[in-house]
Structures are given as structure tokens and as C-alpha cells.
Amino acid sequence: VMRGREILNNPSLNRGTAFTRDERDRLGLHGLLPPRVETQEEQVARIIENCDRKPSDIERYIFLMALQDRNEALFYRTIIDHLRKIMPLIYTPTVGQAGQEYGHIFRSGPRGLYVTAEDRGSIGRVLDNWAERDVRVIVVTDGERILGLGDLGANGMVIPLGKLALYSAAGGIDPAKTLPILIDVGTNNESLRGDPMYLGLRQPRLTGDEYLEFIDEFVEAVEERFPNSLIQFEDFSTPNAHKLLARYRDRHCSFNDDIQGTAAVGLAGLLAALRITGGDLVDQCVVFLGAGSANTGIGDLFIRALVEEGLDETEAHRRVWLIDSGGLVVRSRADLASHKRPFAHEHEPLTDLVEVVEAIAPTALIGATGHPGTFNRPALESMARINRRPIVFALSNPTSKSECTAEQAYEWTDGRVVFASGSPFDMLEYGGKTVSPGQANNVYVFPGMGLGVLVSKARRVTREMFLDAARAAAGTVTQERLDEGSIFPPLAEIRKVSAAIAVAVCRRAAEQGLARAELPADLEGHVVASMYRPEYTPVD
């Protein structure tokens, strides 16, 4: 039985000043804490006050990660109670800076597993070192494409850590059943390899068959040791992301958040935006600037939604156009990667965004390029000429990479834009009205998806589940939010959104014969009751 400092040093048991006097006497804590007994709410207030004292967001990130290492329940209670304030600190945009500086700000503490190229042939033994055996959600990255920042190698661990914090806070998944993993197969970022504080392997990345064999060994080890787990692949390079999704989606319960999670969030945004524009889904045409995992994922799910609405496959494909670094994705181009070819059309080559907008006349323009300022004034003015209410999503993260700012989008469209961004923008005044720009963040989907998979014990994650997740997320947006210019619900209601998505996912899993759990008649109540709550419980 743990006593005294052992308990205070255990983040899953420690509750600091909230230990009662009786608990302090029984557990050998008397005198180790200040005499006053506080409520968790009082502790949260102190955390927020101390967070506000920090001079920068990266210092706030470090402070909050230290809290997680010290008092897990208090960490999650703080996130839940102040999600709008805390999420930009533990995830985008601050997590981008944390990733760039990870070796310099690293704090010891077993918050995740590192599986490296040096572990080939013994990955299973590495996984055995994780004490918790009933792991249900794994977020894994190889650090090659972190946000819009590129190859951060082992520094990419910040992404699984941040995602799983949101799984627990926003999706109600017990943190004890989550596992962050960083696959370190080297890095091609020479500046990292030359950084004396870099903590990863200082070698070029594994590629080709060698890389795939390594990932195969990793997935096989996960299947053996954590057979009930959901694997979320995160921030892999676009070619590897598509390759791994195709390789494992029908073999293990898994999905790629950059492709499928972003797709569902993007589709949810479009569905909610149509409640403002008054348009029908089958009448929409979307131009995507950027042809990576995010935009091809949204495009594919949008096509599936159109087909479900009654359009034939060919006509649905005509509603999706991609622009990559070589210009409009057309069939005459010989340089197209395999994941772009399904979106290629018969059309003259065009390289200028304005020319594309004028030629295609899209109702929506979606950017995921990782390059700021690519939505220029002429392009958005053209969108406003073509559409009474143009839909513009600037999805690149962090905020510094956004294709345009919220202020630019409103100014260049005479305030008629329906706008969303990947990272948050502050509320702004335009035309005498306060506008709250929507944030198309994957947090609106992946926690609820994970919760639905866990509750239903789904054997696989399907495209139809993401369609239903998008519809459920869009359905939670109130008219009041739409009137404010936001096409996503407030972050304060994220757990309600996650519960709604989980219910939809459970129903689809049962319909597709993939649910291993017997689902009760009161599915909504069952889902809510299953959600983790970071409350202090009596210590025996």
C-alpha cells in the first residue's frame, strides 16, 4: 500500500491539497501538505492564475505538462473547465513550438513509449515495458510531417501526448487506457541531427521496404499485446499515410486522423455552412488548394456524401478539384502521385489560383498547404463575385501557416464569407457586428470516434462511421452559433459533441455487424455514463 511521498509522486493518485484530513492521517500525508484542505475547483483556479502569470505560451505549455506529471485528475479537470483557453496551449498552435523545441524543454517522466529503428526484431519487448495492459487507444506518429512544420523526428512525441490529452478531456476516455507512441526511424531534418539537445536517432529515415517491414512488426506487436486497442496514425508523410491506411484499415481497428479525421471535420463544416448559405450539398463544387492527406481525405469523404445523396460516382467526382504545387490536377499531367490520380479531370492545365477559381466557379475553397498567404486577395474577391456567400476554409496549422487570416477573409469578401480555420483566430468586428470565426479542428471528431469505437467494441473503423460523425458534429451547431459566423459548436460543449458522435458511431458499427458489445436501448445514456470524469474519489 502506497503511503506518504509515494502517493504524492504518483500522478494518478495524487490530489495535492484536496486530500482530506482523514486521508492525510491514514496515508501518512500529515505535515507533507499545507494544512488547508481545498476543493478541486479551488485548485483549478490556482492553476489558471499561475498559468496566466507565465510570460509566454511555451512556458504555459511546460507548466501544464508538469501538472500532468504531478496530478492527472487536476490536469484534466483544468482542461475540461477551460478548454477554449487551454486547448491552444496543449495542442495547436503552441504544440508546434513545443515540437520544435522538445529536446530543450524535455522533462523526465514516462508519458509515452519510444519505439526506434534500433528495436527491430524486439518491438514486442519494448511494448511490454508499458505497465498498463488494457490499452484501448494508441496514438502513434513517426514525426515526419508534424502539423505544417515538416520532419521533427523524435520531437513529434508532442503530438500523441496532445491528442491523447484531448481524447480524455474531450472524449471522456480514461487516460489509463491510452498510450502515446513515437516511432523513431531517424530524421532527414539536418538541423535537428545537428542539435546537441536532440533526443532522437541521429540518422536518415528508414524508407521503402525496410520502413514498411518495421511498421509491420510494430502493428503485429500491438495486435498481440493490446488486441482491443484502436490505433490512430498521426502526422505521417502523405505517401506513407495513404499507404499505411490501405495496409491496415481492414486488418486492425485503426484510422488516420490526418486523412479521415480531417475529412469528417471538413465535411461537418461544409454541412453546417450550408445552413448559412441555404445551398444543397449536391449543388456544391469544391476547389482544394493543397493535395496532401487533409484535402484528399476531405475530397474523398465529400464524394461519398454526394453519392449517398443520390449523385452517381462520376458526377460526384466532378465536384472536387485539387491544386498542388504543379497547378490544377488534370489528367494530362504525368507527375501525379497515386493518391491524386482519382481526382484528376480532363481540363487545360492552370497554375494560378485566381484562374482556377474563375474557370471552375467553386462554391467552396479549402486550403491545407502549410504555406501562409496562399489565399490572396484576388482569389477571395473572385470567390465573392461568384458566390453570394462564399465558403472559405484555411485549414493549415499552426496559425502562422494559415492560408489567410480571418480578418482578410472577411475584408476581401465584403463580410459575406463563411469562414473556418485550422487554428484559432480571435473574435473580430466587421460591419458593426462581432464575428466568431469557426475553428475546423479535428478535436470535434477524433475523441468521439474513439469513444464510439470503445463503447461498441468495434472491430474496424469504416468510412461510413466518419460520414455519420460529420453529420453528428454538424447537427450540434446551434442557430445562435451560425448567426455569430461560427460553423462549429463552442469548445465548452465538446464533450456533448463527442457523445453525439459516439452514439452515431455505435449505431453504424452495429448496423455493419462490427460491434462486439451489446448496445442498450438507452444508448445515449450509456455513452455518457461511460465517459471518464476527472473527479477525486476516496483513497482506501
Side-chain angles (χ1 to χ4, degrees), residues 93-379:
T94 308
V95 73
Q97 184 181 357
Q100 292 172 310
E101 302 177 16
Y102 192 62
H104 298 261
I105 65 172
F106 177 77
R107 303 176 68 92
S108 61
R111 296 242 64 92
L113 275 179
Y114 294 84
V115 179
T116 78
E118 296 176 345
D119 298 318
R120 278 177 287 184
S122 60
I123 292 176
R125 290 204 294 273
V126 176
L127 299 186
D128 285 339
N129 290 332
W130 193 252
E132 175 61 52
R133 305 317 303 164
D134 189 21
V135 171
R136 297 302 181 92
V137 180
I138 293 170
V139 176
V140 59
T141 185
D142 70 354
E144 189 169 7
R145 194 202 60 79
I146 300 298
L147 303 175
L149 302 171
D151 186 351
L152 296 187
N155 291 4
M157 177 58 95
V158 297
I159 296 298
L161 291 173
K163 287 279 186 177
L164 286 171
L166 294 175
Y167 259 114
S168 297
I173 292 173
D174 185 349
K177 300 190 182 303
T178 68
L179 172 55
I181 298 180
L182 186 286
I183 289 177
D184 187 353
V185 292
T187 176
N188 295 334
N189 186 329
E190 292 186 9
S191 65
L192 276 182
R193 294 208 303 259
D195 182 349
M197 294 291 180
Y198 180 59
L199 294 169
L201 297 182
R202 298 172 186 270
Q203 65 183 48
R205 284 183 170 274
L206 296 183
T207 58
D209 290 342
E210 199 175 15
Y211 174 82
L212 290 176
E213 288 167 6
F214 179 86
I215 301 298
D216 277 343
E217 184 188 346
F218 166 73
V219 172
E220 288 167 7
V222 168
E223 288 174 333
E224 182 179 338
R225 285 153 180 83
F226 309 120
N228 297 315
S229 64
L230 163 68
I231 301 176
Q232 176 177 314
F233 293 99
E234 186 74 32
D235 285 0
F236 288 74
S237 71
T238 295
N240 284 337
H242 285 273
K243 202 174 294 181
L244 298 182
L245 179 60
R247 198 174 183 90
Y248 303 119
R249 71 191 307 167
D250 295 323
R251 168 178 160 180
H252 187 88
C253 187
S254 61
F255 71 93
N256 183 292
D257 189 49
D258 303 299
I259 300 172
Q260 297 165 287
T262 302
V265 172
L267 180 58
L270 285 173
L271 292 172
L274 294 180
R275 292 167 58 189
I276 295 176
T277 67
D280 293 325
L281 188 67
V282 294
D283 296 325
Q284 305 309 301
C285 176
V286 185
V287 164
F288 293 91
L289 183 60
S293 301
N295 275 347
T296 54
I298 300 171
D300 181 68
L301 197 65
F302 176 57
I303 289 169
R304 294 306 107 202
L306 292 176
V307 169
E308 284 206 359
E309 290 290 318
L311 286 189
D312 64 59
E313 193 92 19
T314 302
E315 182 57 33
H317 271 86
R318 289 197 188 104
R319 308 299 179 84
V320 173
W321 296 77
L322 300 185
I323 305 172
D324 64 7
S325 58
L328 193 63
V329 173
V330 294
R331 289 178 184 164
S332 60
R333 286 176 52 186
D335 63 340
L336 296 179
S338 59
H339 68 277
K340 302 177 188 178
R341 291 184 198 126
F343 301 96
H345 295 283
E346 290 290 350
H347 198 281
E348 64 175 316
L350 297 172
T351 57
D352 182 72
L353 177 59
V354 178
E355 288 181 338
V356 173
V357 170
E358 294 289 346
I360 306 303
T363 56
L365 179 63
I366 298 179
T369 63
H371 297 290
T374 46
F375 284 173
N376 55 35
R377 183 169 193 148

Side-chain angles (χ1 to χ4, degrees), residues 363-440:
T363 56
L365 179 63
I366 298 179
T369 63
H371 297 290
T374 46
F375 284 173
N376 55 35
R377 183 169 193 148
L380 294 196
E381 286 178 342
S382 182
M383 284 291 294
R385 281 196 305 274
I386 294 167
N387 301 283
R388 183 181 64 85
R389 297 298 304 269
I391 300 170
V392 176
F393 294 171
L395 300 183
S396 289
N397 289 315
T399 310
S400 61
K401 301 287 185 179
S402 185
E403 285 73 19
C404 68
T405 67
E407 186 175 11
Q408 288 169 336
Y410 280 92
E411 180 183 342
W412 296 342
T413 62
D414 297 323
R416 292 184 282 120
V417 71
V418 180
F419 177 79
S421 58
S423 285
F425 282 99
D426 292 334
M427 290 189 293
L428 56 92
E429 296 286 332
Y430 189 88
K433 183 180 178 181
T434 300
V435 179
S436 179
Q439 184 187 357

